[in-house]
Amino acid sequence: MATAHPLTATTDNTSHASPSRPTRANAQAEAKSSPFRHLGPNWYAPVMGTAIVATAGAGLPFDVPGLRTFCTAVWALALAMLIALLAARAVHWTHHRDQARAHLLDPSMAPFYGCLSMALLAVGGGALVVGRDWIGTQPAVALDVVLFSTGTLIGLAAAVAVPYLMVVRHRVDPSQATPVWLLPLVAPMVSAALGPLLVPHLPAGQPRETLLLACFAMFGLSLLATLVMLPMIFARLVTGGPLPLALTPTLFLVLGPLGQSTTAVDKFAVAAPGVVPAPYDRGFAILPVLYGVPVMGFALLWLTLAAALVLRARRRGMVFGMTWWAFTFPVGTCVTGAEGLARHTGLVVYDGLAVALYALLLAAWAVAAVHTARGLVSGRLLAAPRRVLAVPAPTTGRTT
């Protein structure tokens, strides 16, 4: 017997195995008896996907009545989700330590520890962007300081620890490469993009410059690590064919480092004047165009490719899984990246791109949220992964 992939929420219809299908009653009974046992770090993805809806919407190039209030309410929802999930994960680590350790040593689940960092960072950044409307500027700054500091430390630890485990403990080969491997490497890029929001709230002089350059260093750390990993993922697709149906949505994760890095260079350009000395401030000012334009071009190429593969998988029977949350946060980073390019180039085409991508983000978030709520009510998403017979053809991991 071989355990199915632990990340998806439904059976992959490409599998040649015959999984035993637990009834809805069995799933509800198992979830009720131990609702936290199988609550993995991948559950931080809904928090990230919800928070980016708020921050991306706040930067759109037009003023729609009620949009700001909507974004603030969505941020408050993300904050509530984060608090609830942190409490649930604490119970998981306290009462199901064996399962928590198994997740850490599982090469398909361990990369999701990067999502903890990104969830903290996304909610913290949202506090300064829209949350301050309701809680006030000083409480928003205090909240972001805590979440940014904690999220950054966790992200840097994950960026080292997960690759270390892949080298010394996990047993993987190139045929197993998926975009999920990017998750711990993207977390420092999220810090790089959101850290500049705190720069104006620090004392002038070295504190501000130190934070900005630290964010630039994390930008380089994440970018170079992504450039090392991405060729492996693309080679896996070209030589191994499409991913299993349930994992196909993870192709959207590649948009994360692309959109987030474009967002980061925009934030550097905004924060640099008066913080770093000349001529380096002018160097930051040209990065959004010289770096952001070509990277956004590649992001659109990848978005088209990933969307085509997702449509192919959908026609072949792909059904909802937790991997569908990959349609949210990565697309949201492309929205914020396009908004930054619109500001620095003055081109209306980037305004239109930001609006179009935000519409896609809203649709994806709504679909993923509704299906996740249904799965929680039924208990299916909290049930144990199904076990399937090992077969030569690719099989999914987690089906509930």
Side-chain angles (χ1 to χ4, degrees):
M1 300 288 285
T3 304
H5 194 288
L7 306 179
T8 61
T10 52
T11 302
D12 183 342
N13 299 62
T14 60
S15 174
H16 290 241
S18 298
S20 59
R21 292 182 175 272
T23 65
R24 175 173 294 187
N26 289 340
Q28 289 175 329
E30 180 179 7
K32 184 176 181 180
S33 63
S34 183
F36 303 110
R37 179 165 179 78
H38 302 287
L39 190 72
N42 54 321
W43 277 88
Y44 287 107
V47 178
M48 298 160 52
T50 302
I52 199 70
V53 169
T55 53
L60 290 175
F62 52 76
D63 185 17
V64 176
L67 177 61
R68 181 83 181 184
T69 301
F70 167 77
C71 291
T72 308
V74 172
W75 171 80
L77 174 62
L79 176 61
M81 292 168 61
L82 177 63
I83 294 171
L85 188 55
L86 288 174
R89 287 284 294 166
V91 173
H92 173 82
W93 271 96
T94 301
H95 297 286
H96 304 288
R97 193 174 298 272
D98 61 322
Q99 187 67 23
R101 178 176 173 81
H103 285 164
L104 192 59
L105 298 180
D106 182 349
S108 62
M109 182 63 79
F112 279 89
Y113 275 91
C115 290
L116 167 58
S117 166
M118 291 185 279
L120 295 170
L121 293 165
V123 174
L128 282 183
V129 175
V130 293
R132 58 187 172 86
D133 292 357
W134 284 3
I135 66 176
T137 298
Q138 290 307 314
V141 170
L143 178 61
D144 191 29
V145 166
V146 172
L147 295 181
F148 175 80
S149 302
T150 306
T152 297
L153 291 176
I154 293 173
L156 291 173
V160 175
V162 174
Y164 174 83
L165 289 173
M166 293 177 72
V167 172
V168 303
R169 295 296 300 273
H170 301 162
R171 292 295 176 262
V172 296
D173 59 67
S175 67
Q176 296 173 294
T178 73
V180 171
W181 289 6
L182 292 172
L183 287 173
L185 306 179
V186 177
M189 187 66 79
V190 180
S191 293
L194 295 177
L197 296 176
L198 283 171
V199 168
H201 301 282
L202 294 178
Q206 290 210 5
R208 293 185 180 182
E209 185 176 359
T210 299
L211 177 57
L212 184 60
L213 292 184
C215 291
F216 194 39
M218 289 187 286
F219 168 87
L221 179 162
S222 181
L223 177 62
L224 294 177
T226 298
L227 292 177
V228 170
M229 192 67 73
L230 190 55
M232 298 176 61
I233 296 168
F234 188 69
R236 154 66 183 85
L237 292 174
V238 173
T239 61
L243 294 175
L245 295 187
L247 293 179
T248 302
T250 65
L251 291 171
F252 275 67
L253 294 177
V254 175
L255 297 174
L258 303 176
Q260 199 65 275
S261 62
T262 303
T263 302
V265 293
D266 164 50
K267 301 305 181 185
F268 297 157
V270 172
V275 174
V276 296
Y280 305 115
D281 57 345
R282 295 193 294 273
F284 279 116
I286 65 175
L287 274 179
V289 175
L290 295 188
Y291 174 88
V293 170
V295 171
M296 184 58 69
F298 180 69
L300 293 177
L301 169 66
W302 191 273
L303 174 61
T304 305
L305 173 63
L309 289 170
V310 166
L311 290 175
R312 174 187 178 276
R314 185 64 174 165
R315 288 195 301 269
R316 284 162 172 75
M318 181 186 75
V319 291
F320 175 74
M322 286 297 289
T323 51
W324 282 33
W325 282 100
F327 298 139
T328 57
F329 189 79
V331 173
T333 66
C334 292
V335 175
T336 56
E339 291 168 349
L341 289 176
R343 283 191 294 271
H344 289 281
T345 64
L347 295 178
V348 176
V349 65
Y350 285 117
D351 288 333
L353 177 61
V355 172
L357 289 174
Y358 189 70
L360 175 62
L361 169 62
L362 276 181
W365 175 72
V367 170
V370 168
H371 281 284
T372 301
R374 289 176 179 172
L376 285 173
V377 171
S378 70
R380 180 171 54 87
L381 291 180
L382 296 177
R386 300 173 191 164
R387 300 181 69 86
V388 299
L389 294 173
V391 292
T395 58
T396 66
R398 190 170 186 0
T399 59
T400 53

